[in-house]
Amino acid sequence: MKLAALDPAELSARLRGPGLVLRTGPFWLRIASQLDSVAGALATLYAEQETLLAGQPQPFCDFDVRIDAVSGLRRWLRPQAQFLFDALKPFKPMALPHASAMMEWGLNWCVSSHCHQYIIIHAAVVERGGRAMLLPAPPGSGKSTLCAGLVNRGWRLLSDELTLIDPVSGELVPLARPVSLKNKSIDVIKAFAPEARFGPLTRDTVKGTVSHMRPPAASVQRDTERARLGWVVFPRYMAGSALNPMPLARGEALMALVDNAFNYHLHGRQGFDTLCDGVAAADCLRFEYSDLEQACAYFSALADAKEPLR
C-alpha cells in the first residue's frame, strides 16, 4: 500500500503510536514522532513509498528512528527537535522548525554509517535507458539542481545524495528518496518543473534555506530495478557559462570517486576492483553549465545516442 492511501489521522496515529513503517529502496524504516511538521513532510515527500496495511506482519526494520521536541525548559524557551536512532542521540538538537529537514539528514546518516554491504559514494545518480549517470560534486556545485532537472525531464532517480554500489555485481542500487535543494535552487526547480511537489521550506539552517522535492512516482515504482554505470560526470554550475563538457581521464575519475566514498576503505581489494570495472565501462566528464534546460537536453541526447558526444 502506498503511504498516500493513509488519511492524515491514521498517519499521525501511527507516528504517535508504534511508529510508521515504510520501505524506501532496499530498506525498511520505522519512524515515530509527535510532531505535526514531521507527519506533514512524510505525507508530502513519501506519498509514493510502500507502507503496510493495518494488521500486516511487521518486517525487520533496518532503522528505527524518532524525531521529537526536546522536553524540559527547551519546550518553552527556544524549542528544539532531537533525532534518535535506536534511542541513541547521534546529533545535537536543532531548532524545532528544522525537524523535517533533520529527519532527512538523519536518514542519510543512518544509511552512510551502517549499510556497509554497499560501497557508498556521496553523489547523485540518475538512469536512462538502463545506464546510470553518477554525479559526484562538492556542495554548491549544482549537483542536486542538475539531478532534479534531469528527473523532471525523463530520467529515473536512483538517489540524490547516496549512491549505493553492490560490490559483488557492480550494479547501482536505487534509493529514491526526496531530493535536497538549497537557496536559489529551490526557485529554479519550481520554475523548471511546476508540477513537482515540495516539502516545507526550512530557513536559517547551516546550509541556508532548504527544501526537499518529492521523488517522481515512476522512480519510486521502479526502486527495485538496478542499473549499470554508464557515465561519471562532475558537474559545476557557473553563472553565465556556456555548456562545456570536458573529457576526463578514467584514472582521475576513479580517484575522485574514492575521495567521495564514505566506506571505500572497508571493501579492500573487492571495492577497488568494483570501482575500476565500473569506471572502465563508463564515459567520464567534467561538465560546466549555467542553463539547466540546455544541460538536460545535452545529457538526454547523450543517453539516446548510445555513444559519447564530444
Side-chain angles (χ1 to χ4, degrees), residues 214-231:
R214 180 197 291 182
S219 297
V220 178
Q221 290 161 8
R222 296 175 59 196
D223 73 352
T224 60
E225 295 179 27
R226 298 182 173 195
R228 286 283 178 184
L229 188 61
W231 305 273

Side-chain angles (χ1 to χ4, degrees), residues 145 147-154 181 185-198 213-214 216 292-293 296:
T145 308
C147 172
L150 288 167
V151 302
N152 281 291
R153 291 294 184 270
L181 295 165
S185 294
I186 300 167
D187 290 333
V188 167
I189 296 301
K190 285 183 175 180
F192 184 81
E195 70 283 3
R197 294 290 304 277
F198 283 80
M213 185 190 81
R214 180 197 291 182
L292 183 59
E293 194 72 72
C296 291

Side-chain angles (χ1 to χ4, degrees), residues 27-249:
F27 308 120
W28 282 94
L29 318 174
R30 180 178 288 105
I31 302 174
S33 181
Q34 301 287 320
L35 299 174
D36 291 339
S37 61
V38 171
L42 285 166
T44 299
L45 297 175
Y46 288 83
E48 299 296 326
Q49 258 83 2
E50 180 183 352
T51 187
L52 301 175
L53 293 167
Q56 277 187 292
Q58 297 290 298
F60 170 81
C61 287
D62 300 276
F63 307 117
D64 197 327
V65 304
R66 172 176 289 274
I67 307 96
D68 268 329
V70 174
S71 58
L73 289 176
R74 280 293 184 187
R75 189 175 183 87
W76 313 107
L77 180 66
R78 299 178 65 184
Q80 292 182 321
Q82 179 74 65
F83 179 91
L84 291 92
F85 167 71
D86 284 344
L88 302 175
K89 299 176 181 179
F91 315 116
K92 292 181 179 179
M94 295 184 182
L96 190 60
H98 297 177
S100 59
M102 189 182 195
M103 174 181 68
E104 294 299 325
W105 298 331
L107 291 175
N108 286 342
W109 173 85
C110 287
V111 174
S112 62
S113 298
H114 298 89
C115 296
H116 301 309
Q117 66 269 42
Y118 303 112
I119 301 169
I120 306 174
I121 297 175
H122 183 210
V125 59
V126 296
E127 175 268 339
R128 187 177 175 114
R131 294 186 296 168
M133 182 188 301
L134 202 61
L135 299 166
S141 61
K143 165 186 69 70
S144 291
T145 308
L146 181 57
C147 172
L150 288 167
V151 302
N152 281 291
R153 291 294 184 270
W155 290 70
R156 175 167 66 110
L157 175 69
L158 273 71
S159 181
D160 167 51
E161 286 286 340
L162 303 173
T163 295
L164 307 179
I165 303 176
D166 183 332
V168 177
S169 67
E171 295 172 322
L172 281 72
V173 179
L175 181 60
R177 289 182 41 234
V179 177
S180 176
L181 295 165
K182 300 180 286 294
N183 303 314
K184 293 180 180 179
S185 294
I186 300 167
D187 290 333
V188 167
I189 296 301
K190 285 183 175 180
F192 184 81
E195 70 283 3
R197 294 290 304 277
F198 283 80
L201 283 176
T202 304
R203 304 182 189 276
D204 302 320
T205 77
V206 294
K207 301 181 179 182
T209 299
V210 175
S211 187
H212 289 81
M213 185 190 81
R214 180 197 291 182
S219 297
V220 178
Q221 290 161 8
R222 296 175 59 196
D223 73 352
T224 60
E225 295 179 27
R226 298 182 173 195
R228 286 283 178 184
L229 188 61
W231 305 273
V232 180
V233 177
F234 296 84
R236 183 185 179 195
Y237 172 82
M238 294 186 66
S241 118
L243 201 71
N244 188 16
M246 297 165 282
L248 180 66

